[in-house]
């Protein structure tokens, strides 16, 4: 499977396509998306679009992802699903909707899948949540397991801490990944984890891995779209490569508009009825 050019979008990426990536050399191209217009731009070039709970920070200006609600994920999930023709759509389960017990997780997951029509859900987990993954998978809900640095644990852990630094941490992460795979997760997302540890996890599991701040050896890569487009001006994590500086381009455009409005140059006769 290759990423399709814009004019050639016919095929919708399926779960089986994603699962097959472990056997191919072509890495999965993944980005986050939260809105309809951005989805239409990203969709032709991406295998997976994630409606990440990072939307709490990127869209809503929250300090972290803990305040994101199921309603927010449903609404943004619908916008993305309605606008994507090609990419496989995964939605994050937000904090507080799945961790306490598998029955609550299933109730939240059914609402998220049912109301949005997305293809899969992502949960921040370790091996203690394997029964929850199993419960969802047994109810036909495909699960991507997010391990390593889990932003929903930021308060508990006192900040964003890179994982896989010690032999014990590496072996714990491998146990987490294997437990998630055994519970039925179709993919493992590895965030903020030392390169060697991420590489080892990726080589150990038989489902495709997707990395963010992880390793080029992962079976796919994901970034927060607004980070890689240079729209976020405050903090840039080490793992973000900026492929554009849209904040500057938008600033210049808005400056031009503001000047023309103030000078009564816009709208001129070309833009009025
Ligand atoms: O919420 C999100 O956008 C994510 C990515 C950082 C992987 O989980």
């Amino acid at each position: 499977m290759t990423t399709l050019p814009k004019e050639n979008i016919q095929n919708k990426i399926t779960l089986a396509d994603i699962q097959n990536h472990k056997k191919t050399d072509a890495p999965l191209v993944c980005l986050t998306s939260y809105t309809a217009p951005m989805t239409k731009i990203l969709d032709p070039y991406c295998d997976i679009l994630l409606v990440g709970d990072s939307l709490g920070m990127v869209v809503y200006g929250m300090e972290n992802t803990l305040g994101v609600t199921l309603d927010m994920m449903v609404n943004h999930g619908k916008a993305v699903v309605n606008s994507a023709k090609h990419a496989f759509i995964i939605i994050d389960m937000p904090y507080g909707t799945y961790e306490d017990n598998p029955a609550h997780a299933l109730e939240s997951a059914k609402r998220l899948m049912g109301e949005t029509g997305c293809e899969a859900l992502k949960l921040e987990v370790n091996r203690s949540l394997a029964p929850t993954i199993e419960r969802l998978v047994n109810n036909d809900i495909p699960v991507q397991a997010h391990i390593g640095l889990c932003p929903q644990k930021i308060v508990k852990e006192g900040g964003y801490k890179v994982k896989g630094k010690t032999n014990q941490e590496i072996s714990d992460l491998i146990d987490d990944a294997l437990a998630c795979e055994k519970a039925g997760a179709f993919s493992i997302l590895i965030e903020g984890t030392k390169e060697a540890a991420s590489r080892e996890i990726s080589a150990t599991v038989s489902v495709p891995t997707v990395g963010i701040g992880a390793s080029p050896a992962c079976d796919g890569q994901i970034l927060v779209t607004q980070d890689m487009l240079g729209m976020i001006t405050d903090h840039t994590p080490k793992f973000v490569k900026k492929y554009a500086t849209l904040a500057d381009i938008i600033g210049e455009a808005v400056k031009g508009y503001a000047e023309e409005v103030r000078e009564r140059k816009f709208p001129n006769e070309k833009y009025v009825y």
Side-chain angles (χ1 to χ4, degrees):
M1 183 174 56
T2 51
T3 307
L4 297 174
K6 203 167 194 160
E7 59 280 1
N8 193 22
I9 316 159
Q10 257 116 39
N11 63 330
K12 174 82 182 163
I13 304 244
T14 64
L15 182 60
D17 292 330
I18 305 289
Q19 285 164 319
N20 282 338
H21 261 271
K22 197 71 190 180
K23 298 177 208 129
T24 74
D25 268 348
L28 289 161
V29 178
C30 318
L31 282 172
T32 60
S33 195
Y34 320 114
T35 63
M38 188 62 95
T39 300
K40 286 179 189 162
I41 299 170
L42 306 177
D43 181 52
Y45 304 102
C46 293
D47 299 307
I48 294 178
L49 288 177
L50 169 72
V51 187
D53 63 353
S54 51
L55 66 79
M57 299 159 84
V58 176
V59 178
Y60 290 91
M62 295 174 174
E63 219 173 282
N64 55 49
T65 57
L66 300 184
V68 175
T69 65
L70 205 54
D71 282 344
M72 287 177 185
M73 299 311 292
V74 166
N75 290 336
H76 288 272
K78 277 184 196 166
V80 172
V81 169
N82 290 343
S83 315
K85 294 194 173 84
H86 171 63
F88 185 82
I89 310 297
I90 304 178
I91 302 183
D92 258 340
M93 293 196 71
Y95 175 73
T97 65
Y98 64 95
E99 310 87 337
D100 50 353
N101 65 71
H104 182 208
L106 182 59
E107 188 189 325
S108 309
K110 279 185 170 169
R111 177 164 176 228
L112 213 37
M113 291 284 287
E115 291 188 27
T116 65
C118 71
E119 274 102 22
L121 301 179
K122 175 164 84 57
L123 283 68
E124 295 185 11
V125 291
N126 55 34
R127 55 195 171 284
S128 73
L129 284 179
T132 295
I133 297 176
E134 203 169 343
R135 183 73 169 264
L136 267 49
V137 172
N138 286 344
N139 281 274
D140 300 324
I141 296 172
V143 171
Q144 182 178 58
H146 178 149
I147 66 166
L149 190 161
C150 290
Q152 292 176 9
K153 297 206 170 62
I154 184 188
V155 172
K156 190 173 156 207
E157 296 190 353
Y160 297 107
K161 305 268 162 70
V162 174
K163 305 293 177 187
K165 286 184 168 169
T166 64
N167 286 343
Q168 185 59 54
E169 270 186 23
I170 297 174
S171 122
D172 283 348
L173 283 168
I174 290 174
D175 286 351
D176 287 340
L178 286 171
C180 293
E181 178 182 353
K182 189 159 176 247
F186 73 89
S187 165
I188 312 279
L189 184 142
I190 309 168
E191 177 167 358
T193 297
K194 295 287 270 187
E195 199 279 327
S198 306
R199 186 176 287 271
E200 201 173 333
I201 297 165
S202 207
T204 305
V205 294
S206 57
V207 292
T209 55
V210 174
I212 175 163
S215 166
C218 289
D219 304 296
Q221 299 295 329
I222 188 163
L223 286 174
V224 169
T225 297
Q226 281 75 359
D227 278 341
M228 59 82 80
L229 291 179
M231 295 173 80
I232 309 286
T233 48
D234 29 23
H235 170 69
T236 307
K238 174 180 162 67
F239 57 79
V240 172
K241 177 173 177 183
K242 290 190 181 177
Y243 287 82
T245 46
L246 287 201
D248 293 347
I249 293 170
I250 294 168
E252 273 306 305
V254 175
K255 187 171 160 238
Y257 168 73
E259 279 169 9
E260 290 199 359
V261 168
R262 288 190 181 111
E263 291 165 13
R264 295 201 184 278
K265 287 187 177 157
F266 178 85
N268 60 18
E269 69 281 359
K270 188 175 167 198
Y271 299 100
V272 292
Y273 293 104

